[in-house]
């Protein structure tokens, strides 16, 4: 089975930097995703890590340490529109087929 | 336009009704999924279809019945639901090479279901 933990809520100030952590336990690990979900909308893909290290994509970066079962999403130069839930998801391969399991999500509120 | 479309976007049904949710993906993917999202809970994987074969059923009650007639279409048939089944139902798709890791999952915009 899989166990994914991330904080329930976070608050940060516009223009600042925020780091959202995710820890996981899984067998057959084959990648970790971060998704953004605005209220009432579908999740949208942000990043994907399968090897250790940092992946940077504009204002968003994602880090993975497989040995520690740990990832974080880093958001820089926060904007009000970044207020959303951020979902950590882990993929494993069971029987040759992929299965993606999501954490509960971290609701980020950006304040002026 | 997400490449994965779901209909209807909103559905209100009584506990004795029978209804269906429809999902269509325009991305050429070979795997499709149903997820359930309830308030304060993580996205819950319900069903997975790989190459039109159901490969995952996460202990979902039989009042939810999936159907995958081809790799582009996925249905979720609903009957005798309970009020606690009210949730956002998300369809998703991805491309999987059998035995190897696939690409990311793309979600539809979801169907909001209310059972009264």
């Amino acid at each position: 089975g899989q166990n994914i933990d991330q904080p329930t809520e976070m608050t940060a100030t516009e223009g600042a930097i925020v780091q959202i952590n995710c820890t996981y336990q899984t067998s057959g690990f084959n990648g970790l995703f971060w998704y953004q979900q605005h209220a009432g909308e579908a999740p949208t893909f942000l990043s994907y890590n399968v090897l250790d290290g940092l992946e940077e994509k504009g204002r968003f970066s994602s880090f993975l340490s497989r040995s520690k079962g740990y990832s974080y999403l880093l958001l820089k130069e926060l904007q009000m529109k970044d207020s959303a839930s951020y979902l950590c998801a882990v993929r494993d391969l069971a029987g040759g087929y992929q299965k993606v399991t999501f954490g509960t999500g971290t609701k980020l509120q950006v304040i002026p | 336009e997400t490449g994965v479309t779901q209909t209807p976007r909103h559905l209100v049904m009584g506990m004795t009704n029978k209804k269906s949710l429809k999902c269509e993906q325009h991305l050429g993917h070979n795997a499709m999924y149903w997820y359930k999202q309830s308030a304060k809970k993580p996205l819950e994987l319900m069903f997975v279809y790989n190459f039109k074969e159901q490969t995952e059923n996460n202990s979902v009650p039989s009042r939810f019945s999936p159907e995958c007639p081809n790799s582009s279409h996925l249905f979720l048939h609903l009957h005798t639901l309970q009020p606690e089944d009210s949730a956002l139902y998300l369809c998703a798709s991805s491309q999987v090479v059998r035995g190897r890791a696939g690409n990311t999952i793309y979600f539809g915009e979801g169907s909001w279901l209310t059972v009264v």
Side-chain angles (χ1 to χ4, degrees), chain A:
Chain A
Q2 295 172 329
N3 187 25
I4 301 171
D5 289 312
Q6 50 182 133
T8 304
E9 295 180 341
M10 297 182 73
T11 301
T13 305
E14 189 177 15
I17 298 173
V18 70
Q19 177 174 312
I20 302 174
N21 296 323
C22 172
T23 59
Y24 64 89
Q25 294 174 313
T26 185
S27 56
F29 175 83
N30 205 272
L32 185 143
F33 300 89
W34 284 96
Y35 282 82
Q36 180 190 61
Q37 186 177 25
H38 286 100
E41 299 181 11
T44 55
F45 171 75
L46 287 179
S47 69
Y48 170 66
N49 296 68
V50 68
L51 299 176
D52 291 349
L54 187 68
E55 294 282 341
E56 297 187 77
K57 191 184 292 185
R59 293 188 300 114
F60 293 4
S61 303
S62 57
F63 171 83
L64 175 68
S65 169
R66 289 171 296 171
S67 61
K68 295 181 179 178
Y70 168 69
S71 173
Y72 67 72
L73 179 70
L74 194 70
L75 292 75
K76 303 176 185 176
E77 301 170 16
L78 280 173
Q79 302 175 8
M80 298 300 291
K81 67 178 182 179
D82 297 329
S83 293
S85 287
Y86 291 85
L87 310 177
C88 174
V90 173
R91 176 170 67 196
D92 67 39
L93 287 183
Y97 297 106
Q98 71 167 338
K99 176 179 175 179
V100 178
T101 303
F102 286 80
T104 54
T106 299
K107 187 175 181 180
L108 173 67
Q109 183 180 15
V110 180
I111 58 176

Side-chain angles (χ1 to χ4, degrees), chain B residues 8 11-21 62-65 76-81 113 115:
Chain B
L11 176 63
V12 179
M13 59 186 290
M15 290 189 285
T16 58
N17 291 159
K18 288 185 180 181
K19 298 286 184 182
S20 295
L21 305 181
S62 60
R63 57 185 185 270
F64 295 91
S65 174
L76 188 62
H77 303 300
L78 316 168
H79 62 98
T80 59
L81 295 191
L113 173 66
V115 181

Side-chain angles (χ1 to χ4, degrees), chain B residues 63-93:
Chain B
R63 57 185 185 270
F64 295 91
S65 174
E67 179 189 359
C68 187
N70 55 62
S71 57
S72 299
H73 294 85
L74 186 64
F75 295 90
L76 188 62
H77 303 300
L78 316 168
H79 62 98
T80 59
L81 295 191
Q82 304 298 312
E84 58 264 30
D85 296 323
S86 299
L88 175 66
Y89 289 84
L90 288 159
C91 174
S93 72

